[in-house]
Amino acid sequence: MSVINPDNASVFDEGEIYVLDPNYTGTLAAAVPAPGQAPGSMWLDFGLLGTEGVTYTPGVEKTFFDGWGKPRFKGKTSKGTLELSFNALERNAVSAGIAYGKDAGFISVPKGVYRHLLIVTREEDVEEVEWTTRPALLTTGAWTKSESGVRTFPVTADIFADSDNHLLGTANENADDPTTWTVTVPVGTTAGTFPLRVDNQTVVGIVFNATTAAVKAALEALATVGPGNATVTGSAGGPYTVVLANGGTLAAPAASLTPAGVVTVVSA
């Protein structure tokens, strides 16, 4: 008999979708808010959305192979894609910039724009946050002016993968069990920096002899951790014991150390 857990089913009460201001010059990691935090001024709001919410449409190209007397004995998939779609109900700078074009006072020849997206959804005040790892291609479909309904701008976002084949980063307020990790910088390191990654977000530039406070601040700047959700103990330069209050997988990508070395991360 299957085990049913209704708490794992979600009916979202509300949500917002934002685009990243093209004039923003900071990093994406610094811009993404932790669940429960208000997005910063670098995020521009689409405003009121249709009750349909946002639809996620994955796609793959399928190739099937036939054998002699054995049709479709094997199949392969390739060219995976993800498309998001939603209805923007307000004409504002964000929706008009996609539907009408960039020139005020005109409706221009339709063309797509590339922007990072931030999707914030809530169910009973529990918030989920998603963001595109690369700028999405945003286009709009047909809109109608009439007395029978609200003018609606249907927006389609084609999502592109990063070098790790990640399309969207995700974080939510549903706390998992804490995870504990030991981070060790090679003995004899005299200079350099190293990065740390929690799930799909990476912080770079941690100095080789960083204090525990500096490592804590670097981790909590990630949306996958958030303020107050990391505890770091140990000595400056490590080894560090890191506790992630809401769970998550800690890893250390390639470091830039003198002499060259590898920062190790093991589950404690």
Side-chain angles (χ1 to χ4, degrees):
M1 179 181 294
S2 63
V3 177
I4 297 174
N5 184 356
D7 292 335
N8 290 331
S10 297
V11 179
F12 293 99
D13 304 310
E14 59 180 5
E16 302 103 39
I17 299 178
Y18 303 80
V19 296
L20 188 61
D21 188 336
N23 297 315
Y24 173 69
T25 58
T27 65
L28 179 62
V32 174
Q37 289 185 325
S41 59
M42 73 286 290
W43 292 104
L44 309 178
D45 193 355
F46 269 100
L48 186 64
L49 303 176
T51 57
E52 306 85 358
V54 57
T55 299
Y56 300 68
T57 306
V60 292
E61 186 173 292
K62 301 176 183 178
T63 303
F64 296 100
F65 302 89
D66 296 330
W68 194 358
K70 299 291 183 181
R72 286 199 173 190
F73 76 95
K74 192 176 184 65
K76 293 283 189 178
T77 60
S78 62
K79 300 180 181 179
T81 60
L82 179 63
E83 178 185 280
L84 271 58
S85 57
F86 56 92
N87 289 323
L89 302 185
E90 295 184 25
R91 177 188 170 182
N92 54 28
V94 179
S95 60
I98 298 170
Y100 292 172
K102 64 180 181 179
D103 297 325
F106 297 90
I107 297 179
S108 302
V109 173
K111 60 186 300 185
V113 298
Y114 288 89
R115 299 286 187 271
H116 275 289
L117 285 180
L118 176 71
I119 303 104
V120 180
T121 52
R122 297 179 198 86
E123 181 188 22
E124 296 181 356
D125 296 326
V126 176
E127 191 167 276
E128 293 186 5
V129 176
E130 298 172 329
W131 59 94
T132 55
T133 58
R134 291 179 57 204
L137 175 60
L138 304 177
T139 55
T140 187
W143 66 89
T144 301
K145 296 179 180 179
S146 73
E147 65 175 0
S148 62
V150 178
R151 174 174 53 188
T152 300
F153 297 101
V155 178
T156 297
D158 291 288
I159 312 300
F160 304 104
D162 64 10
S163 58
D164 294 319
N165 282 331
H166 297 150
L167 296 164
L168 296 170
T170 64
N172 65 69
E173 289 183 303
N174 285 322
D176 295 323
D177 292 335
T179 55
T180 303
W181 308 85
T182 300
V183 179
T184 304
V185 178
V187 175
T189 300
T190 58
T193 63
F194 63 93
L196 289 174
R197 181 175 64 230
V198 179
D199 296 334
N200 52 20
Q201 282 217 316
T202 303
V203 60
V204 299
I206 303 172
V207 296
F208 75 100
N209 60 351
T211 64
T212 56
V215 175
K216 172 181 169 68
L219 290 171
E220 291 185 347
L222 299 176
T224 46
V225 180
N229 293 323
T231 301
V232 182
T233 56
S235 303
Y240 307 100
T241 299
V242 177
V243 179
L244 302 176
N246 292 334
T249 300
L250 183 66
S256 299
L257 301 175
T258 304
V262 176
V263 174
T264 61
V265 178
V266 297
S267 178

